[in-house]
């Protein structure tokens, strides 16, 4: 089913408007912006995971020709405010972060000082000459170490390293356990990863002493919240700061927070009254930008003999790193809230524990709740294994059907307009579930091990203000838009999103075109400049389509109303009811037929701006509209991923043979863009599950700070993704848009793990950890082999 | 530190001069001294391929090359490709949605402009193999592969 037919411009596969400049090298990323006379900053970073700063000597660095200054945390403390993170959430410890640390460093890569010089090379030379006298402290290099009794404190202001602890209970899981046919336990460890946008972080700050105004160039996903944070931390008003975020070379959640380096650069530009810029190198990005994930989940599930889930208990631990750039409960809490996803489960408890360690601080990364579907569908597979049932049957027996909707999850979240049973059936049909098992049996006889993994995702998107309110997190989920029809009839429009490759200029122009009734080529979308765009909440949490596209669509409808009112007046009609705009022409319905009136948007625009005495009574001159829109508390998309793999049991090498996804993400604004997002999200999930890993040794030394150590999947390792469509609009959002682009990560992580476990089933082993590296898979198989040998000896 | 010398480079068929330290990277000279910012820097350690330019018509990493080494060589950057109309490869990347943020794209264009000249009828496996020298975080590579194969077909048809 598709909602496309009811629209004229939404749903069209328009090729992207932004491509021309990008394929010819004329994009304008942060580092391409020339700022005349700009100085360069280079940060001095801690070589230790945890150490007291006894002294910093900057004299040698100062003497390097070209060095303008060397600054430390003490300097920055005079010019900036600390970051306080203290939403009133039960069990969450308030934290504070200095701009640069003055007392101690908390992870390998922590910035301790900054050198400002005429040139990046000189700044780097001089940074090597800054000497920091450290007194080593015990490193807290793992979750276990963080939570062990008597552990060294990462943040001395807290009573322990347990920075956040929440629990929840619905129904009666203990009673369910007693009446259960079996209780199934399962473990899932998702390793530490990082975002790796191909463009690293950076910024350029220009302080205008005369106007007392800061212009801040930066690639960022949330320009307005960033501006508020920047102004607040610098003690400026929001009207004294302009954030300009031009083309952005990927964000994936890394470019949301105001980082300490960026704040430092802004403060120093003002202090020195000279423009200053900074570009992070790749090692800094891998070591110190922001990390993500690293959580350990246990489930304990009470089940009936047919695999029906009676109750589920979840325990999550997250290693949050050294600093809270976000409230520490934020990511894991969402996992816990939506865990049960597509399944009918009323009895549910969770416990979420988040600990600080001496590692780089965590932040949201594309699908901050990535582990959710792996945990849930991995639990289903564990049930099937223990009860010797077909995993597909266990899914079917538990899955929500259309008749169950809207469904209130045990956590109180409401699911509606989703189709998990349908995506499951279409994915298994497409991948040929039954035929696969025949092939699997035959190949096993030849000593080849293939596996099929399923994962059904219910993806939370577009967090509305009501969601923030109920979870106690400060902030809003609204978005803001304006649409301006210019005197010549062309349209400029803007929204508070900050794009980083999602194709907003194209897709969002389609939402404006739809609301107004013009061709998308007439619409220009202007984002990423806080002086131009309205104050919106930016791009994160897959909200671009629903919140951003929705706001623009509604705003364009508001514009259309006014245009048609003027048109009616010009046509001598009493009302605009029988009028519409299509392809820029006013059409009139006569006997149920739409016919052109010969009046065009250009005519109306000219009247509105240049001949206002001809406007109907009460209509003000000009055609300038704005609007804010707050989406429902949450919208949900869903999908089922099916992945076929082969494991070479001699080497542990994993090959993906086939990948099918059936997805329902509501009304599709632009199918080309949506397909690209699906492919990209799945690629990120697979790359993360198979290769990527931030590695710290037991002393907290980061061992993965180059692309030779932190492996990102290349074109040789990723499969072709087959996509099946299954789109049902959301009844509560403008145009039925739901949001998407994170579910692909969630599904990929689960599907590939489940496939590996299916392949390894004959050996009686199951992977509980990622990445699914050859070494890890071999160690599982070897463990089994060793056991066999021992058993043989007994 | 600053012992600068004047070097003469041939970039996109034009002779350019720059005053540079011997250690200055070609990527920085192109971007900062010559204002050709289409060549991107994604890792500065030779892995990501974003900085790929052509040196004497062969793809090379500008981040692993010192500008002073380039005297007497011809350098071609993304700015020389598709100036008036898009090249078949650029056109195919556009049509097949082979880019999202576009940061990796110039490096990919330069890699395959050279590759398709030498290998006009590549297999998908060959394209993937060569493409594995360029990291793209956004697309999952699938559409890039399709675009390269499409460009190859278009170019084969155009050949006399
Ligand atoms: S910047 Fe040269 S290979 Fe990455
Ligand atoms: S398009 Fe963003 S890195 Fe390739």
């Amino acid at each position: 089913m598709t909602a496309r037919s009811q629209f004229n411009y939404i749903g069209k596969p328009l090729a992207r408007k932004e491509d021309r400049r990008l394929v010819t090298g004329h994009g304008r990323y942060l580092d391409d912006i020339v700022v005349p006379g700009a100085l360069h900053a280079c940060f001095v970073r801690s070589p230790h995971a945890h150490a007291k700063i006894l002294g910093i000597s900057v004299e040698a660095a100062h003497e390097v020709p070209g060095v303008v200054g060397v600054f430390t945390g003490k300097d920055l403390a005079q010019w900036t405010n600390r970051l306080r993170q203290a939403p009133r959430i039960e069990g969450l410890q308030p934290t504070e972060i200095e701009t640069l640390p003055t007392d101690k460093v908390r992870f390998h890569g922590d910035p301790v000082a900054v050198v400002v010089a005429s040139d990046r090379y000189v700044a780097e030379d001089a940074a090597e000459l800054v000497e920091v006298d450290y007194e080593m402290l015990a490193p807290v290099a793992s979750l276990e170490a963080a939570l062990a009794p008597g552990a060294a404190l990462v943040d001395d202001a807290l009573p322990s390293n347990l920075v956040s602890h929440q629990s929840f209970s619905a129904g009666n899981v203990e009673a369910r356990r007693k009446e259960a046919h079996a209780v199934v336990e399962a473990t899932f460890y998702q390793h530490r990863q990082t975002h790796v946008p191909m463009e690293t972080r950076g910024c350029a700050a220009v302080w205008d002493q005369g106007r007392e105004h800061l212009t801040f160039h930066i690639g960022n996903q949330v320009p307005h919240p960033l501006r508020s944070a920047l102004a607040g931390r610098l003690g400026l008003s929001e009207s004294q700061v302009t954030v300009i975020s031009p083309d952005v070379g990927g964000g994936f959640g890394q470019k949301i927070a105001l980082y300490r380096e960026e704040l430092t650069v802004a403060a120093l530009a003002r202090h020195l009254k000279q423009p200053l810029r900074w570009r992070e190198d790749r090692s800094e990005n891998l070591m110190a930008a922001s990390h993500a994930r690293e959580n350990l989940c246990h489930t304990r599930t009470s089940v009936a003999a047919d695999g029906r889930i009676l109750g589920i208990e979840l325990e999550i631990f997250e290693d949050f790193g050294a600093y809270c750039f976000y409230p520490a409960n934020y990511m894991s809490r969402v996992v816990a809230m939506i865990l049960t996803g597509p399944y009918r489960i009323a009895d549910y408890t969770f416990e979420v524990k988040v600990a600080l360690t001496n590692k780089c601080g965590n932040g949201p990364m594309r699908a901050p709740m990535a582990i959710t579907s792996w945990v849930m569908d991995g639990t289903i597979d564990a049930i099937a294994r223990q009860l010797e049932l077909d995993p597909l049957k266990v899914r079917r027996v538990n899955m929500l059907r259309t008749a169950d909707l809207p469904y209130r999850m045990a956590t109180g979240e409401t699911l509606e307009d989703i189709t998990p049973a349908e995506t499951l059936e279409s994915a298994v049909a497409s991948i040929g579930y039954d035929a696969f098992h025949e092939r699997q049996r035959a190949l096993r006889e030849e000593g080849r091990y293939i596996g099929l993994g399923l994962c059904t995702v219910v993806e939370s998107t577009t967090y509305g203000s009501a969601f923030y309110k109920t979870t106690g997190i400060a902030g809003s989920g609204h978005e803001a838009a304006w649409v301006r029809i210019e005197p010549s009839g062309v349209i400029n429009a803007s929204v508070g999103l900050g794009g980083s490759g999602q194709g907003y200029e194209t897709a969002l122009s389609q939402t404006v075109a739809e609301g107004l009734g013009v061709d998308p080529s007439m619409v220009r979308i202007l984002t990423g400049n806080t002086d131009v765009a309205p104050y919106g909440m930016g791009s994160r949490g897959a909200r671009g389509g629903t919140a951003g596209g929705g706001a623009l669509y509604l705003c364009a409808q508001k514009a259309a109303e006014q245009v048609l009112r003027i048109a009616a007046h010009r046509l001598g009609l009493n009302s605009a009811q029988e009028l519409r705009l299509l392809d820029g022409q006013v059409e009139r319905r006569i006997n149920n037929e739409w016919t052109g009136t010969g009046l065009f948007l250009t005519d109306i625009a000219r009247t509105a701006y240049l001949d206002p005495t001809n406007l109907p009574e009460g209509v003000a001159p000009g055609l300038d509209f704005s609007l804010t829109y707050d989406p429902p508390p949450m919208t949900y998309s869903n999908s089922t991923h099916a992945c076929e793999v082969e494991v070479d049991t001699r080497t542990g090498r994993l090959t993906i043979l086939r990948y099918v996804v059936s997805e329902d993400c509501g009304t599709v604004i632009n199918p080309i863009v949506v397909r690209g997002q699906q492919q990209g999200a799945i690629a990120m999930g697979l790359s993360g599950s198979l290769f990527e890993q931030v590695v710290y040794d037991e002393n907290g030394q980061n061992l993965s700070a180059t692309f030779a150590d932190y492996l990102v999947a290349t074109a040789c390792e990723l499969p072709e993704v087959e996509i099946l469509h299954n789109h049902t609009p959301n009844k509560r959002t403008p145009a039925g848009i739901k949001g998407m682009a994170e579910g692909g990560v969630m599904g990929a992580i689960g599907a590939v793990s489940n496939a590996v476990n299916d392949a390894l089933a004959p050996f009686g082993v199951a992977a509980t950890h990622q990445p699914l590296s050859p070494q890890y898979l071999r160690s599982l198989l070897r463990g089994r082999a060793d056991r066999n040998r021992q058993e043989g000896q007994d | 530190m600053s012992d600068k010398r004047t070097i003469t480079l041939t970039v996109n068929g034009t002779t350019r001069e720059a005053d540079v330290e011997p250690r200055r990277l070609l990527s920085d000279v192109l971007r900062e001294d010559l204002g050709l910012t289409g060549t991107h820097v994604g890792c500065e350690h030779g892995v990501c391929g974003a900085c790929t330019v052509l040196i004497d018509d062969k793809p090379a990493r500008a981040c692993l090359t010192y500008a002073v080494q380039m005297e007497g060589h011809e350098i071609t950057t993304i700015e020389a490709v598709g100036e008036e109309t898009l090249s078949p490869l650029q056109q195919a990347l556009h049509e097949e949605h082979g880019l999202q943020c576009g940061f990796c794209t110039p490096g990919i264009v330069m890699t395959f402009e050279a590759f398709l000249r030498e290998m006009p009828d590549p297999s998908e496996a060959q394209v993937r193999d060569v493409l594995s020298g360029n990291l793209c975080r956004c697309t999952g590579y699938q559409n890039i592969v399709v675009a390269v194969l499409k460009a190859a077909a278009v170019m084969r048809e155009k050949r006399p």
Side-chain angles (χ1 to χ4, degrees):
Chain A
M1 186 164 87
T2 165
R4 192 181 300 169
S5 51
Q6 72 193 83
F7 298 116
N8 295 308
Y9 312 102
I10 282 180
K12 289 236 164 80
L14 294 189
R16 299 201 318 171
K17 298 178 176 191
E18 40 274 87
D19 287 352
R20 170 164 271 274
R21 68 173 184 275
L22 303 181
V23 295
T24 55
H26 291 106
R28 242 159 41 102
Y29 302 91
L30 182 264
D31 217 40
D32 303 341
I33 296 168
V34 176
V35 176
L39 302 170
H40 293 257
C42 177
F43 288 86
V44 177
R45 294 183 183 276
S46 165
H48 307 299
H50 198 189
K52 254 187 153 30
I53 303 169
L54 299 179
I56 303 178
S57 65
V58 299
E59 293 72 22
H62 248 302
E63 276 164 26
V64 175
V67 168
V68 172
V70 186
F71 305 90
T72 66
K74 290 207 179 85
D75 300 312
L76 271 305
Q78 307 166 53
W79 307 319
T80 55
N81 301 313
R82 296 159 154 239
L83 171 66
R84 189 169 161 76
Q85 204 69 265
R88 250 182 254 127
I89 294 171
E90 208 201 315
L92 178 70
Q93 303 290 334
T95 56
E96 270 194 9
I97 306 179
E98 296 175 288
T99 301
L100 294 182
T102 55
D103 58 339
K104 69 170 190 177
V105 290
R106 295 199 208 165
F107 75 98
H108 178 199
D110 210 349
V112 263
V114 58
V115 176
V116 175
S118 55
D119 168 281
R120 189 163 175 245
Y121 288 67
V122 174
E124 283 183 20
D125 288 341
E128 303 233 318
L129 302 176
V130 173
E131 277 191 25
V132 185
D133 191 8
Y134 292 107
E135 179 192 317
M136 304 283 278
L137 298 169
V140 179
S142 68
L143 259 174
E144 302 80 78
L147 296 174
L153 285 180
V154 174
D155 185 337
D156 296 313
L158 301 186
S160 79
N161 292 321
L162 184 64
V163 68
S164 183
H165 184 190
Q166 281 89 30
S167 47
F168 167 87
S169 172
N172 187 343
V173 290
E174 275 175 35
R176 298 292 86 77
R177 224 186 296 138
K178 286 199 194 100
E179 70 199 31
H181 166 77
V183 175
V184 177
E185 307 218 13
T187 295
F188 307 86
Y189 169 72
Q190 186 183 33
H191 54 299
R192 181 167 278 259
Q193 293 162 56
T194 182
H195 310 64
V196 194
M198 291 317 300
E199 180 197 29
T200 53
R201 293 180 303 163
C203 59
V206 183
W207 174 253
D208 179 333
Q209 179 66 20
R211 291 191 304 139
E212 298 192 313
H213 189 95
L214 177 73
T215 301
F216 199 63
H217 302 275
I218 182 169
N220 190 272
Q221 301 171 225
V222 298
H224 290 95
L226 183 83
R227 184 190 63 175
S228 294
L230 193 53
R233 302 280 301 276
L234 290 169
L236 297 171
S237 74
E238 280 161 347
S239 53
Q240 286 178 286
V241 179
T242 302
V243 169
I244 301 178
S245 181
D247 289 320
V248 180
F252 313 112
Q254 194 169 66
K255 296 172 180 171
I256 293 176
L258 171 65
Y259 291 102
R260 299 174 298 162
E261 292 91 341
E262 297 157 358
L263 176 62
T264 298
V265 168
L268 288 176
R270 175 160 67 145
H271 170 70
L272 296 166
K273 301 187 181 59
Q274 284 194 77
L276 179 61
R277 67 188 310 151
W278 167 64
R279 194 190 80 226
E280 179 182 63
D281 69 24
R282 181 55 65 183
S283 293
E284 290 178 286
N285 180 267
L286 289 169
M287 188 163 62
S290 170
H291 289 171
R293 319 229 195 272
E294 193 159 20
N295 30 27
L296 176 68
C297 297
H298 297 295
T299 57
R300 181 152 61 161
T301 313
S302 305
V303 288
D306 63 352
R308 197 157 37 88
I309 297 175
L310 305 174
I312 188 165
E313 300 155 69
L314 168 75
E315 200 181 10
I316 307 185
F317 296 91
E318 181 174 352
D319 178 336
F320 208 63
Y323 293 104
C324 299
F325 296 108
Y326 299 85
N329 69 314
Y330 171 40
M331 272 84 77
S332 285
R333 179 77 179 277
V334 174
V335 175
M337 287 193 74
I338 64 167
L339 177 82
T340 56
Y343 301 109
R344 205 182 298 106
I345 301 170
D347 299 71
Y348 174 41
T349 65
F350 69 69
E351 184 158 17
V352 180
K353 290 182 178 170
V354 182
L356 295 183
T357 59
N358 290 123
K359 300 178 186 172
C360 177
N362 275 19
M365 173 168 154
R366 190 176 200 169
M369 66 307 198
I371 198 172
T372 313
S373 307
W374 174 31
V375 173
M376 193 60 237
D377 261 38
T379 294
I380 296 254
D381 278 8
I383 295 168
R385 273 197 300 275
Q386 189 167 321
L387 272 53
E388 295 183 2
L389 297 171
D390 173 23
L392 178 57
K393 286 206 181 115
V394 179
R395 285 175 171 77
R396 282 180 179 147
V397 85
N398 287 294
M399 193 160 279
L400 292 168
R401 312 267 148 190
T402 309
D404 300 313
L405 303 175
Y407 179 77
R408 203 174 133 90
M409 288 199 261
T411 50
E413 285 292 296
T414 300
L415 298 174
E416 57 189 344
D417 301 329
I418 60 164
T419 54
E422 287 82 351
T423 56
L424 174 68
E425 297 307 332
S426 73
V428 296
S430 167
I431 205 146
Y433 192 79
D434 297 327
F436 170 83
H437 286 104
E438 282 159 34
R439 256 189 311 130
Q440 184 182 46
R441 267 189 296 276
L443 284 174
R444 275 181 191 168
E445 314 233 308
E446 296 171 24
R448 288 181 57 190
Y449 295 89
I450 60 172
L452 177 61
L454 297 174
C455 188
T456 296
V457 176
V458 170
E459 174 187 5
S460 50
T461 73
T462 325
Y463 305 48
S465 298
F467 179 84
Y468 290 106
K469 183 98 180 164
T470 48
T471 49
I473 299 172
S476 162
H478 84 276
E479 194 45 67
W482 60 253
V483 170
R484 199 165 67 218
I485 302 165
E486 304 291 350
S488 69
V490 299
I491 295 112
N492 278 310
S494 184
V495 64
L497 304 175
S500 52
Q502 301 95 326
Y504 286 162
E505 288 162 53
T506 311
L508 296 180
S509 77
Q510 289 174 259
T511 63
V512 174
E514 192 64 52
L516 188 55
V518 297
D519 191 88
S521 64
M522 301 302 291
V523 183
R524 179 120 195 219
I525 302 288
L526 309 163
T527 56
N529 181 328
T530 53
D531 287 351
V532 174
Y535 198 116
M537 303 315 292
S539 292
R540 64 201 154 79
R543 67 193 298 283
T546 321
L552 280 166
Y553 176 68
L554 295 175
C555 191
Q557 284 184 329
K558 188 170 157 184
E561 234 173 77
Q562 173 99 323
V563 166
L564 295 179
R565 225 175 125 192
I566 299 169
H569 181 71
R570 291 225 12 200
L571 293 168
L573 302 171
N574 290 333
S575 119
Q577 258 180 13
E578 297 300 306
L579 295 180
R580 73 169 185 191
L581 206 56
L582 187 72
D583 288 344
Q585 183 176 193
V586 178
E587 293 186 347
R588 186 174 175 191
R589 179 157 52 190
I590 304 169
N591 300 333
N592 252 340
E593 287 270 321
W594 288 101
T595 41
T597 58
L599 195 61
F600 290 85
L601 180 60
T602 43
D603 305 315
I604 309 285
R606 212 174 305 121
T607 307
Y609 282 94
L610 306 173
D611 191 12
T613 54
N614 265 330
L615 290 171
E617 191 141 323
V619 170
L623 291 170
D624 203 333
F625 308 88
S626 65
L627 169 148
T628 61
Y629 164 64
D630 198 352
M634 188 77 83
T635 58
Y636 290 96
S637 290
N638 63 279
S639 57
T640 298
H641 297 240
C643 172
E644 186 183 324
V645 302
E646 176 162 2
V647 179
D648 182 334
T649 52
R650 289 162 309 150
T651 61
R653 187 193 156 102
L654 173 65
T655 311
I656 297 172
L657 303 172
R658 234 187 121 191
Y659 201 103
V660 176
V661 59
S662 174
E663 183 149 332
D664 179 349
C665 55
T667 297
V668 167
I669 302 173
N670 180 324
I672 296 184
V673 167
V674 165
R675 179 163 47 91
Q677 292 296 317
Q678 289 166 324
Q679 290 167 342
I682 290 168
M684 184 173 269
L686 292 176
S687 178
S689 307
L690 269 42
F691 303 103
E692 297 177 34
Q693 186 174 21
V694 175
V695 182
Y696 282 98
D697 73 8
E698 66 280 9
N699 296 316
Q701 288 287 307
N702 186 319
L703 306 179
S704 51
T706 73
F707 273 154
D709 306 292
Y710 189 89
L711 302 182
V712 175
T714 76
C716 286
E717 292 99 21
L718 291 178
E720 187 165 321
V721 174
E722 301 163 48
I723 300 172
L724 310 167
H725 301 280
N726 188 338
H727 297 303
T728 44
N730 183 308
K731 287 192 276 301
R732 292 209 288 155
T733 63
I737 304 165
K738 283 179 182 171
M740 51 91 54
E742 297 190 330
V745 181
M746 304 169 74
I749 292 171
V752 74
S753 275
N754 292 343
V756 164
N757 286 342
D758 185 41
L760 298 185
F763 301 91
V765 295
T768 53
H769 285 45
Q770 292 183 345
L772 300 162
S773 63
Q775 295 88 322
Y776 175 51
L777 297 187
R778 273 296 295 149
S779 78
L780 284 176
L781 290 163
R782 213 178 303 119
R784 176 63 187 179
D786 290 344
R787 259 201 314 283
N788 281 344
R789 218 171 301 134
Q790 268 174 10
E791 281 161 15
Q793 278 162 6
D794 286 348
Chain B
M1 279 295 153
S2 155
D3 95 66
K4 289 195 177 176
R5 46 179 288 194
T6 304
I7 57 168
T8 308
L9 299 179
T10 311
V11 183
N12 301 334
T14 309
T15 308
R16 310 279 303 259
E17 275 192 359
D19 280 337
V20 300
E21 288 178 52
R23 64 171 173 172
R24 197 157 170 82
L25 299 173
L26 177 60
S27 48
D28 288 339
V29 171
L30 291 172
R31 294 178 45 81
E32 290 165 20
D33 301 309
L34 306 183
L36 298 169
T37 56
T39 300
H40 294 155
V41 171
C43 71
E44 292 176 287
H45 51 246
V47 181
C48 76
C51 66
T52 304
V53 297
L54 304 186
I55 298 175
D56 301 328
D57 287 335
K58 297 233 163 358
R61 306 284 204 228
C63 77
L64 295 182
T65 307
Y66 295 112
V68 290
Q69 296 173 289
M70 286 298 100
E71 280 183 293
H73 297 277
E74 298 258 352
I75 299 158
T76 313
T77 70
I78 184 72
E79 282 85 356
V81 185
E83 268 172 312
E84 296 297 314
T85 46
L86 297 182
S87 75
L89 178 59
Q90 290 169 320
Q91 183 66 31
L93 283 164
H94 168 59
E95 287 168 6
E96 297 300 327
H97 192 28
L99 62 149
Q100 290 183 21
C101 78
F103 197 80
C104 68
T105 311
I108 288 172
V109 170
M110 298 317 285
T111 303
F112 283 97
E113 288 290 343
F115 173 74
L116 291 179
R117 267 202 296 271
E118 304 228 318
M119 186 77 75
D121 193 5
S123 68
E124 176 180 336
Q126 284 170 322
V127 170
R128 283 194 180 262
D129 190 41
V130 173
L131 184 55
S132 70
N134 294 74
L135 294 181
C136 173
R137 190 55 157 168
C138 302
T139 62
Y141 307 106
Q142 190 168 336
N143 294 348
I144 302 176
V145 173
V146 172
V148 172
L149 292 170
K150 180 176 190 174
V154 169
M155 288 164 75
R156 282 198 305 276
E157 243 168 59
K158 277 196 185 157
R159 269 186 321 173

